Amino acid sequence: MTLLTFRFAPSPNGDLHLGHAYSALLNQQLANGNQARLLLRIEDIDTTRCTPEFEAAILRDLEWLGVRWKEPVRRQSEHFGEYQAALERLIAEELVYPAFMSRGDIRAFISDRERRGRDWPRDPDGAPLYPAVDKALSRKERNARIAEGIPFAWRLDVAAAMARVGTGLSWMEFENLSLSTARHVPAQPQDWGDIVLARRDIPTSYHLSVVLDDALQGVTHVVRGMDLFHATAVQRLLQQLLGLPQPAYFHHRLILGPDGRKLSKSLKDTGLAALRAAGATPSGIRHMVGL
Ligand code: GLU
């Protein structure tokens, strides 16, 4: 029988808040209730925003909360070579292409189209889709630009990728916390357009590293916030392209701030360290998040 494996995967680019506490405690509760193991993964590929200080604070907060995980902790910044190898495969299979438009170029391109009365399509988070301009560049032109040193990112050619995997892509989503019944959710990665899979300064991306790590670490159950529900479509597509096993998912409710909005790392009063300093206890935190 395969060992069930859950994971909590914070990014050390800020302090943990009540939303993270809920996610970590829920993963722990589900792991304990299913004789499963809980892993901790530090998602620190963005080396410009992630710091060892934030990581240390995360470990401190989790320990204080009573969350226990199976060692070793996996730190993504120590595995860039593995992500690079997967990217090379996608490059060789022509499923990604070098995209040269800067943020400013994209903005200018889109506002020009919108001025001419055409609504530009947006992804589920509201960001405009990447224009299919340099997907059409010839190999010669691409190579010339790369040789010239023009910066680029590797973007997934989502149409080519969908053609490769065929129709009927879906993921398993649990219906509730008892994890007894699941439904198939149709995956529509096209809704995100040609997403970035690697940048010049960061040779991977959230989606690429997360699917590789979930597979490498034998994660069977991904339990994370509802804010990542639609992103799962992209991750299912990458799992399929890279021949990786697919975990089952449960996207839990979000803990909202007093204004009814998603908590952010800048909201100091819902930060765990601030709550602890103000006298909160671990059981008080559980109570606050409804566990
Ligand atoms: N590192 C992501 C975050 O902190 C979570 C990724 C995931 O659970 O898949 O939002």
Side-chain angles (χ1 to χ4, degrees):
M1 213 182 80
T2 48
L3 177 62
L4 299 191
T5 302
F6 290 74
R7 66 8 171 226
F8 178 60
S11 300
N13 56 10
D15 291 320
L16 295 188
H17 55 55
L18 284 175
H20 299 106
Y22 177 63
S23 202
L25 290 166
L26 188 60
N27 269 287
Q28 164 129 315
Q29 177 177 309
L30 290 170
N32 290 348
N34 290 282
Q35 290 82 48
R37 54 180 188 155
L38 173 64
L39 304 178
L40 176 64
R41 184 165 75 225
I42 299 294
E43 301 208 322
D44 59 349
I45 56 169
D46 186 349
T47 47
T48 59
R49 292 171 62 219
C50 296
T51 67
E53 290 74 27
F54 281 132
E55 181 188 315
I58 287 175
L59 299 183
R60 206 162 47 235
D61 287 348
L62 291 175
E63 274 161 17
W64 173 74
L65 269 181
V67 176
R68 298 288 175 265
W69 55 88
K70 180 148 181 10
E71 297 285 344
V73 172
R74 184 176 172 90
R75 199 170 287 110
Q76 290 189 322
S77 59
E78 293 168 356
H79 298 276
F80 282 125
E82 288 156 57
Y83 311 133
Q84 178 79 32
L87 178 71
E88 302 288 345
R89 272 178 62 191
L90 298 173
I91 295 173
E93 294 183 40
E94 301 190 358
L95 292 169
V96 291
Y97 63 90
F100 299 95
M101 287 171 93
S102 66
R103 282 210 186 100
D105 294 339
I106 301 173
R107 248 194 321 272
F109 182 92
I110 291 167
S111 62
D112 175 62
R113 295 302 145 112
E114 294 198 317
R115 251 198 319 276
R116 290 195 248 152
R118 191 171 149 209
D119 274 347
W120 192 259
R122 314 239 149 202
D123 71 23
D125 284 347
L129 301 194
Y130 190 72
V133 174
D134 34 28
K135 194 164 101 170
L137 294 179
S138 67
R139 188 184 292 260
K140 199 167 151 226
E141 177 64 26
R142 277 180 192 168
N143 290 343
R145 290 193 190 190
I146 294 173
E148 245 180 86
I150 299 178
F152 67 94
W154 289 105
R155 284 186 180 261
L156 180 70
D157 181 341
V158 73
M162 287 306 280
R164 175 74 56 92
V165 303
T167 51
L169 191 67
S170 66
W171 79 83
M172 289 260 289
E173 177 81 22
F174 289 112
E175 310 253 40
N176 53 45
L177 281 177
S178 69
L179 307 186
S180 51
T181 51
R183 66 193 161 103
H184 285 281
V185 179
Q188 289 169 332
Q190 324 75 294
D191 293 353
W192 294 92
D194 291 349
I195 52 147
V196 170
L197 284 193
R199 295 181 193 281
R200 196 172 47 146
D201 48 341
I202 305 172
T204 183
S205 58
Y206 160 60
H207 290 301
L208 186 59
S209 339
V210 98
V211 296
L212 288 165
D213 283 351
D214 283 340
L216 262 158
Q217 296 189 284
V219 171
T220 56
H221 290 63
V222 173
V223 174
R224 60 187 179 190
M226 203 58 203
D227 50 340
L228 289 169
F229 183 85
H230 291 290
T232 310
V234 172
Q235 296 177 15
R236 267 301 293 130
L237 175 60
L238 291 175
Q239 286 157 359
Q240 203 72 8
L241 293 174
L242 295 165
L244 304 173
Q246 40 170 321
Y249 293 83
F250 179 70
H251 291 92
H252 60 69
R253 66 183 165 85
L254 298 179
I255 305 292
L256 302 177
D259 56 357
R261 296 178 51 169
K262 198 181 126 182
L263 298 181
S264 81
K265 288 184 171 162
S266 54
L267 275 176
K268 286 280 168 263
D269 48 345
T270 53
L272 294 186
L275 288 164
R276 181 167 67 234
T281 61
S283 64
I285 301 285
R286 282 174 189 272
H287 185 74
M288 287 167 86
V289 298
L291 277 174

